[in-house]
Amino acid sequence: MTSAQRLRIVPSQFAVEHLPNSTFPEDDEWIALVRAPEGLTVIREAPAWVEGELWKGFYSASPSSPNSTGQLAAVVGPLAEAAIPVFVASTYHADLVLVPSHRLEEASDALRDAGHRIAD
């Protein structure tokens, strides 16, 4: 594993949507978009009225280079070992690692046990 990382919990809750027949969302209220042959995946800050799975995010508290290796694996590995599902959106400086909201505490514990520091 690479050295332990300092992660912060993003205060927002997120919704992840799949829009099978879209190439772009109808609004600009999104955080990340991924277009693929099967449609568009949209990550957005969850509005109060949203139904379905809500996600919380971990994000690096200190940026890294896109050439850094093992940064994402060091975070998702312990979550996989704890059988916690993830959804990831990568940025130039870090990865936004989403976990189901109801498993945030369990995910935080797994990451701490792996040596990461979580800034609340």
Side-chain angles (χ1 to χ4, degrees):
M1 179 172 115
T2 60
S3 61
Q5 297 175 46
R6 197 167 137 260
L7 305 169
R8 64 181 178 89
I9 298 171
V10 180
S12 303
Q13 288 199 101
F14 298 94
V16 177
E17 303 171 318
H18 177 243
L19 307 174
N21 299 313
S22 295
T23 57
F24 206 78
E26 294 180 7
D27 59 29
D28 61 356
E29 304 282 323
W30 47 270
I31 304 293
L33 302 174
V34 177
R35 189 179 340 176
E38 66 276 4
L40 186 68
T41 300
V42 180
I43 299 173
R44 64 178 74 236
E45 205 169 305
W49 49 264
V50 76
E51 293 182 20
E53 185 84 66
L54 294 177
W55 300 78
K56 290 293 287 182
F58 293 96
Y59 195 75
S60 178
S62 50
S64 62
S65 163
N67 295 323
S68 298
T69 59
Q71 298 291 314
L72 180 58
V75 175
V76 298
L79 297 173
E81 288 176 18
I84 298 170
V86 300
F87 196 91
V88 178
S90 295
T91 72
Y92 188 84
H93 293 291
D95 302 295
L96 174 63
V97 178
L98 301 177
V99 298
S101 289
H102 68 278
R103 299 196 65 189
L104 178 64
E105 186 173 332
E106 183 183 356
S108 296
D109 290 343
L111 291 169
R112 283 187 188 101
D113 289 348
H116 299 291
R117 291 176 295 156
I118 310 293
D120 296 323

